[in-house]
Amino acid sequence: TYFFFFFQAEDGIRDAQESRGLGDVYKRQVLRLGTNRLRGTVPPELASLVALTELGLASNLVSGTLPPELASLVTLAQFDLSNNSVSGTVPPELASLAALEVLVLGTNRLSGTVPPELASLAALEVLVLGTNRLCGTVPRELGRLTQLRHLLLPINSVSGTVPPE
C-alpha cells in the first residue's frame, strides 16, 4: 500500500500538463502529512523530491521499513516519522542526509542498535529514538555531534552513558 498525495506548487501555479506523479513535484520543499490516518509504507518515490527540506509523517498508521532511497534527500533538514508502526532498523544510510537537523523516529517498532554512522550528521540538533525496540549501547561516535542539543532514547533497551563532548 502506498500513500496518495495531492500537490499544489508553492507559488499556486499549476502546469497545463497532466502530472506524472511525485517526480513532478520538484518545487515542493515542505511536506507535512501528520495526523491524517495515512496507511501503508513510506514510498521510495519520495526520494524524487530533491528540494525537500521537511518531511512530516508523524501520528499516522505508517508501517513497514524505511526505504534506503530516502538517503538521497540531501536537502532534508527535518524528518518526523514518530507515532507510527515503522519496523526494521534505523537505516545507516540516513547518515548521508548532511543537512539533517531534526530526526524524530520515536514511538515506532524500530529494532537493532543506534547506528554509529549517524555521527556523521554534523548539523544534527535533535535525535529522538525513544519508545522503540532498540538495544545495545549509545554509540560513542555520537559524542562528535557538536550541534546535538536533544538526544532522547527512553523506553528502549539501550545502555551506557551519553558520550561526552
Side-chain angles (χ1 to χ4, degrees):
T1 307
Y2 285 105
F3 301 132
F4 292 95
F5 303 109
F6 170 78
F7 292 104
Q8 183 172 347
E10 288 183 352
D11 57 10
I13 299 171
R14 294 178 166 272
D15 293 331
Q17 297 178 350
E18 185 175 327
S19 172
R20 294 181 307 265
L22 287 175
D24 282 352
V25 192
Y26 61 90
K27 293 181 184 178
R28 175 61 64 195
Q29 293 184 340
V30 174
L31 181 58
R32 292 187 194 122
L33 297 169
T35 317
N36 276 297
R37 302 185 61 81
L38 296 173
R39 294 180 180 273
T41 59
V42 176
E45 291 83 1
L46 285 176
S48 66
L49 302 176
V50 296
L52 198 63
T53 58
E54 184 179 336
L55 177 56
L57 297 169
S59 301
N60 280 295
L61 302 168
V62 179
S63 58
T65 59
L66 286 172
E69 291 87 351
L70 294 180
S72 65
L73 295 172
V74 295
T75 60
L76 194 65
Q78 297 183 25
F79 182 26
D80 187 352
L81 190 61
S82 61
N83 298 308
N84 281 288
S85 295
V86 177
S87 58
T89 61
V90 177
E93 293 88 355
L94 294 180
S96 61
L97 300 174
L100 199 62
E101 298 171 357
V102 177
L103 177 59
V104 183
L105 300 175
T107 313
N108 277 290
R109 296 179 179 162
L110 295 168
S111 58
T113 60
V114 177
E117 291 88 351
L118 295 180
S120 67
L121 297 171
L124 195 64
E125 298 175 15
V126 176
L127 177 59
V128 179
L129 298 173
T131 314
N132 277 293
R133 298 172 180 167
L134 299 173
C135 61
T137 59
V138 178
R140 61 181 169 80
E141 292 87 349
L142 294 185
R144 295 193 311 247
L145 293 172
T146 58
Q147 300 302 312
L148 191 65
R149 301 293 173 251
H150 301 282
L151 173 62
L152 301 170
L153 298 168
I155 313 177
N156 280 298
S157 295
V158 177
S159 61
T161 58
V162 177
E165 298 274 331

